[in-house]
Amino acid sequence: STSKEPLPTDDDKTEVNGYTGEESQQASSEPPARAGWNSKIEYFLAQVGFSVGLGNVWRFPYLCHQNGGGAFLLLYVMLMLVVGIPLFFLELAAGQAIRQGSIGVWRYISPRLAGIGYSSCVVCFFVALYYNVILAWSLFYLGNSFQHPLPWNQCPEQGNLTVKECEKSSPTSYFWYRKALNITDSIDDTGSFNPYIVCCLLAAWTIVCLGMFKGIKTSVKVMYFSSIFPYVVLICFLVRGLMLDGALEGISFMFYPKLEIWADLQVWRQAATQVFFALGLGFGSIIAYSSYNPKNNNCHRDAFTVSAINFLTSVLATLVVFAVLGFRAKGKVMECVVRYVFHSGHVDENLMPNFNYSIPSSVHVQRYRAWFKEHGNNVPGNLTDCDLEQEMQKGVEGTGLAFIAFTEAMSLLPGSPFWSALFFLMLLNLGLSTMFGTMEGILAPLTDRFKTLANNKTKLTIFSCIIGFLIGLLFTQRCGNYFVMMFDDYSATLPLIIVVVFETFSVSWLYGADRFLDDIEAMLGWRPSVVYKYLWKYVCLLSMLGLLGATTIRMFIKRPTYMAWNQAMASEEHLPYPGWALAVLALLIIIAMMPVPVALVHAVLKETTKKISRDTENGEYSMVSTDDKCDTPVTEMTEVEQRSRTFASFS
């Protein structure tokens, strides 16, 4: 039974209209000086900046390419509409209504659920640790981009001989694995610290710390640049990319729909996971950002707008990536054709293809491949089918895409240092705006929950960044890249899915979907469609449980592996994680999930002791919460003090 009072304006003293009496009492223990966005644009930049990250540039294009191009896009849009947007809306509405970070929001719904918020904080911390290392790598490459020719343009020489490792692989692979990472052959072989990456990591954490120094007031100033600049760069790259030879072949490979992939469960799992990470569900950052909104902000429209921008950014990035990769692949395939057609030695002239031998570049790849299918087996020597699609597959995932494949393609462009600097500056900005959101997902809930931390927010920010840097040194060892892969693949995926399962269950079943919709109606002045009730209660919940099951089963069926660099062979190889690494993986997942049961047990014990004390004192404490939902009495403040503080927070 929610009271339908007039909507609170942003200047109202009464904070939590539209909720029942004891709930508003609980929410009034909100810290006094809660900031707010100066404008809707600032809030928008923050939400878009957080949700649009490095994954849009290197994970989405790869998934799209591996999983049936246009068919994967359709599947992704469908899952985004049915699961992604409803859950995104749920988090936005919860943060905006309750005006707290993730810990406060779930404690408010029920003290037994406070652990969900703490789990979100732990996952944010894990992600911040390795994400900033990727920013450090981007800084290292950015610093190396200001020279001509680029240092990854050609293989270095020792004496008069080209370095063997580079000759066997490629200049960009050699620069990445040997110069930037100076990587070991396996995760067991730790090696020393890499001084350049340590310095870059320190710089990355310093930038984050300066950006977060005064909370959202400073970070949003940086976001005006860090959220908009990547779009400028992507559009520049798209225009330049479309002029390149091979760009259209690359894009057509990417969009060619292979509908048979819809039968593969793994593709559904990957699409759902990508929707999940693309929107940043479960981190608590969406809740934290929306908690600074005025009460009557239209969070329903925001959910659709931010999700649409996120999807379109992924498509734009994919067009750019495949235009440039198409150009790189076409170059390699042409080299392959020229090598075999023009250097094939003494071959029966009747078997040779009918090409214009005076201009090697005039040879059409399709004609060569058609000729190869017909006569390839009859020609002596090791001819190969120069396949454009196979070439497109190489090195297009994750860091391999950004630091090897894309870097190589840019080194072929005229004015390559300019394009390279632009690309790594874009990666840095994409990563920064996501880092701000991730840090906000740690700091906002903690400062909302603990008064001491709220009074020392600047110190907390600096302390968090120092701890982040010190633990992050783990990733700057020579084997650090393997740890980044481990954290990226496992430390966040399972815990985040579990967090979102708990979130959805607690709102739709424990708190009640109808009641939640009542609250949204009281907040917005109109009632969202009843469809949301069924999506939250059944569709989202079941699909998240399905995703959780599929991810867990896959981890047990298939032993987790990582991509290692073999120095002797100068190539990548998949190695299984050793036993101790699997133990670390399990520990990461357990640490991230522990707060949920711990908080539950703590709340139940607290309620039991309260009940016993009430019984023994024979009603003396009957004024203490009669409803299980109220965990702690409101902070010791007089009513006048409370009112003046709440009012001060809006002035």
Side-chain angles (χ1 to χ4, degrees):
S1 58
T2 38
S3 52
K4 301 283 187 295
E5 294 177 35
L7 265 174
T9 61
D10 204 23
D11 307 315
D12 273 355
K13 297 179 200 173
T14 47
E15 241 291 78
V16 198
N17 286 354
Y19 292 99
T20 51
E22 78 269 13
E23 290 161 2
S24 37
Q25 196 185 16
Q26 206 176 359
S28 66
S29 63
E30 185 183 311
R34 189 159 193 77
W37 301 106
N38 290 328
S39 68
K40 183 73 183 249
I41 291 175
E42 284 188 359
Y43 163 67
F44 228 76
L45 286 176
Q47 284 288 21
V48 169
F50 169 66
S51 70
V52 173
L54 297 171
N56 296 68
V57 174
W58 68 39
R59 185 106 184 99
F60 187 86
Y62 162 76
L63 285 175
C64 214
H65 184 233
Q66 290 298 91
N67 298 322
F72 179 80
L73 275 179
L74 283 172
L75 180 61
Y76 183 83
V77 170
M78 190 185 82
L79 288 172
M80 177 90 104
L81 288 170
V82 174
V83 180
I85 294 175
L87 290 176
F88 192 57
F89 175 44
L90 181 142
E91 288 201 5
L92 286 177
Q96 188 173 305
I98 299 166
R99 302 296 289 260
Q100 297 256 323
S102 54
I103 297 171
V105 163
W106 305 116
R107 265 188 85 245
Y108 174 88
I109 285 172
S110 164
R112 296 177 180 191
L113 300 173
I116 300 176
Y118 288 104
S119 275
S120 288
C121 288
V122 174
V123 174
C124 277
F125 184 64
F126 286 163
V127 171
L129 285 178
Y130 77 82
Y131 211 88
N132 233 14
V133 177
I134 300 171
L135 296 199
W137 295 338
S138 302
L139 275 171
F140 178 76
Y141 266 78
L142 180 62
N144 277 287
S145 294
F146 296 101
Q147 42 188 306
H148 189 72
L150 289 166
W152 49 82
N153 227 359
Q154 54 221 25
C155 285
E157 294 192 352
Q158 279 178 339
N160 291 329
L161 296 169
T162 307
V163 176
K164 271 275 182 290
E165 188 183 355
C166 182
E167 200 173 16
K168 280 185 184 174
S169 53
S170 71
T172 42
S173 295
Y174 176 78
F175 186 87
W176 168 238
Y177 285 117
R178 193 54 51 221
K179 294 288 184 201
L181 301 178
N182 193 16
I183 204 162
T184 56
D185 280 1
S186 79
I187 197 168
D188 286 314
D189 182 7
T190 51
S192 54
F193 288 103
N194 184 334
Y196 295 112
I197 302 298
V198 171
C199 293
C200 290
L201 184 65
L202 181 62
W205 272 112
T206 308
I207 296 168
V208 170
C209 190
L210 291 172
M212 295 292 298
F213 201 69
K214 295 274 186 230
I216 60 167
K217 295 293 183 197
T218 46
S219 64
V220 85
K221 290 190 176 91
V222 183
M223 276 183 210
Y224 270 108
F225 182 73
S226 67
S227 297
I228 295 167
F229 179 72
Y231 289 98
V232 177
V233 176
L234 282 172
I235 289 163
C236 290
F237 265 109
L238 183 63
V239 172
R240 182 70 188 91
L242 290 174
M243 298 162 148
L244 299 170
D245 182 32
L248 294 176
E249 283 98 325
I251 289 171
S252 64
F253 271 129
M254 128 78 203
F255 280 113
Y256 183 75
K258 305 182 187 84
L259 289 169
E260 63 275 10
I261 61 105
W262 283 50
D264 185 354
L265 261 178
Q266 284 307 321
V267 175
W268 284 76
R269 187 188 65 79
Q270 287 186 319
T273 311
Q274 182 60 21
V275 165
F276 194 80
F277 278 107
L279 293 174
L281 300 169
F283 282 92
S285 307
I286 296 166
I287 293 174
Y289 277 157
S290 66
S291 72
Y292 298 116
N293 269 335
K295 259 314 194 36
N296 54 359
N297 171 59
N298 189 346
C299 53
H300 183 258
R301 189 175 56 210
D302 293 349
F304 278 88
T305 318
V306 173
S307 304
I309 291 173
N310 190 307
F311 172 66
L312 293 172
T313 308
S314 296
V315 173
L316 173 65
T318 307
L319 285 172
V320 170
V321 165
F322 280 95
V324 175
L325 288 185
F327 160 68
R328 168 181 169 265
K330 184 82 178 275
K332 297 224 167 188
V333 168
M334 287 311 297
E335 275 175 33
C336 163
V337 171
V338 168
R339 186 164 60 247
Y340 291 118
V341 171
F342 296 91
H343 306 289
S344 48
H346 307 291
V347 179
D348 181 351
E349 284 192 13
N350 298 324
L351 289 177
M352 287 303 286
N354 182 20
F355 296 137
N356 180 355
Y357 287 86
S358 56
I359 313 168
S361 60
S362 68
V363 177
H364 198 277
V365 178
Q366 298 309 111
R367 280 185 62 202
Y368 169 80
R369 291 194 68 202
W371 169 81
F372 177 84
K373 274 186 185 139
E374 203 174 326
H375 300 291
N377 296 331
N378 307 326
V379 177
N382 56 345
L383 274 184
T384 56
D385 179 10
C386 302
D387 185 357
L388 191 63
E389 186 156 16
Q390 264 181 354
E391 202 54 59
M392 292 279 293
Q393 305 259 14
K394 292 179 187 170
V396 295
E397 184 183 10
T399 48
L401 170 69
F403 298 105
I404 300 173
F406 213 86
T407 314
E408 184 180 322
M410 285 185 302
S411 65
L412 305 172
L413 295 173
S416 51
F418 167 75
W419 292 106
S420 180
L422 206 57
F423 177 70
F424 290 109
L425 194 57
M426 176 189 80
L427 283 191
L428 187 63
N429 280 287
L430 275 174
L432 262 183
S433 48
T434 304
M435 267 305 290
F436 289 146
T438 309
M439 291 301 288
E440 192 62 41
I442 303 169
L443 301 173
L446 291 175
T447 50
D448 283 347
R449 179 71 186 93
F450 303 103
K451 213 171 169 194
T452 323
L453 296 180
N455 297 335
N456 298 286
K457 190 161 184 182
T458 308
K459 286 179 192 162
L460 175 67
T461 306
I462 295 167
F463 178 73
S464 307
C465 292
I466 291 170
I467 293 291
F469 168 68
L470 293 174
I471 301 177
L473 289 173
L474 164 75
F475 304 103
T476 63
Q477 299 173 98
R478 287 179 57 201
C479 67
N481 185 37
Y482 305 138
F483 282 103
V484 170
M485 280 190 232
M486 180 201 283
F487 269 68
D488 191 27
D489 289 340
Y490 298 99
S491 75
T493 318
L494 265 182
L496 274 181
I497 297 169
I498 295 169
V499 163
V500 176
V501 167
F502 277 123
E503 285 185 4
T504 316
F505 179 74
S506 57
V507 167
S508 55
W509 290 94
L510 297 182
Y511 188 76
D514 285 316
R515 189 175 167 199
F516 190 60
L517 286 170
D518 288 342
D519 295 345
I520 295 172
E521 184 180 0
M523 190 167 69
L524 302 184
W526 56 274
R527 191 178 185 81
S529 165
V530 73
V531 171
Y532 284 107
K533 173 181 163 180
Y534 298 105
L535 286 175
W536 289 330
K537 286 182 84 163
Y538 305 107
V539 180
C540 294
L541 199 54
L542 290 172
S543 51
M544 295 314 295
L545 287 168
L547 179 59
L548 182 62
T551 309
T552 315
I553 290 164
R554 188 169 178 270
M555 278 176 74
F556 283 108
I557 288 178
K558 192 178 167 212
R559 188 186 171 107
T561 60
Y562 65 100
M563 185 84 84
W565 178 254
N566 185 316
Q567 188 170 0
M569 289 159 54
S571 68
E572 295 173 329
E573 57 178 345
H574 281 284
L575 294 180
Y577 279 110
W580 65 265
L582 290 176
V584 172
L585 279 181
L587 194 65
L588 286 174
I589 293 168
I590 290 165
I591 290 171
M593 288 329 303
M594 273 312 284
V596 178
V598 168
L600 177 65
V601 172
H602 175 256
V604 170
L605 288 174
K606 205 166 176 182
E607 285 163 20
T608 314
T609 50
K610 265 187 191 176
K611 196 165 184 288
I612 292 166
S613 71
R614 274 210 299 274
D615 293 345
T616 52
E617 295 292 334
N618 199 14
E620 195 179 326
Y621 293 108
S622 59
M623 289 305 289
V624 175
S625 164
T626 52
D627 183 4
D628 281 348
K629 284 172 77 279
C630 200
D631 180 20
T632 47
V634 176
T635 326
E636 292 299 316
M637 277 197 282
T638 65
E639 209 178 345
V640 179
E641 262 183 303
Q642 276 185 37
R643 266 201 219 123
S644 60
R645 288 197 178 190
T646 313
F647 181 66
S649 71
F650 291 111
S651 51

